[in-house]
């Protein structure tokens, strides 16, 4: 499958890497057939990370497709799932900018 990395996803991955995590970009779940935005390699486990931009939501509610994907990854996948909605990431970046910390890894806000 073809990699399609958004600015949002790139920001999140850069921050995770800067924090010292081992991150595989664009993983794949063989049991569900879904792509996964990132897989964090932990000491004895792996954590699937979904970085969901605006197309995954109506307002702040996930679309049916997004709910189904998350549910199937949680139930059928072999990894724990952590979801980062775009507005939470934007808020985190805005908070960091307001504290005048320049090394957040955040490049621009997703709309």
């Amino acid at each position: 499958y073809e990699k399609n990395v958004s600015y949002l996803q790139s920001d999140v991955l850069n921050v995770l890497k800067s924090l010292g995590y081992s991150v595989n970009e664009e993983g794949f779940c063989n049991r569900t057939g879904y792509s996964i935005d990132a897989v964090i390699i932990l000491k004895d486990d792996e954590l699937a990370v979904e970085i969901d931009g605006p197309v995954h939501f109506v307002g702040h509610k996930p679309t049916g497709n997004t709910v189904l994907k998350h549910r199937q990854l949680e139930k059928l996948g072999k990894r724990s799932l952590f979801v980062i909605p775009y507005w939470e990431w934007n808020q985190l970046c805005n908070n960091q900018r307001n504290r005048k910390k320049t090394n957040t890894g955040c490049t621009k806000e997703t709309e």
Side-chain angles (χ1 to χ4, degrees), residues 41-88:
I41 309 302
L42 303 170
K43 185 176 179 180
D44 297 322
D45 202 6
E46 294 182 349
L47 176 65
V49 179
E50 278 293 293
I51 305 159
D52 289 344
V55 299
H56 294 276
F57 299 93
V58 176
H60 284 181
K61 293 188 178 226
T63 63
N65 289 343
T66 299
V67 170
L68 178 63
K69 179 179 181 179
H70 293 171
R71 186 175 297 143
Q72 289 181 338
L73 284 170
E74 288 171 342
K75 299 293 182 194
L76 301 174
K78 293 183 177 182
R79 304 172 181 104
S80 297
L81 177 64
F82 184 72
V83 178
I84 302 172
Y86 73 95
W87 71 86
E88 289 182 5

Side-chain angles (χ1 to χ4, degrees), residues 8-9 22 24 27-28 36 41 45 47 50 52 56 63 67 71 73 85-87 89 91 96 101-102 108 110:
L8 172 64
Q9 187 173 337
S22 175
N24 291 336
F28 187 76
I36 302 168
I41 309 302
D45 202 6
L47 176 65
E50 278 293 293
D52 289 344
H56 294 276
T63 63
V67 170
R71 186 175 297 143
L73 284 170
Y86 73 95
W87 71 86
W89 183 256
Q91 184 63 46
Q96 292 296 331
K101 291 184 180 180
T102 58
K108 68 182 203 177
T110 303

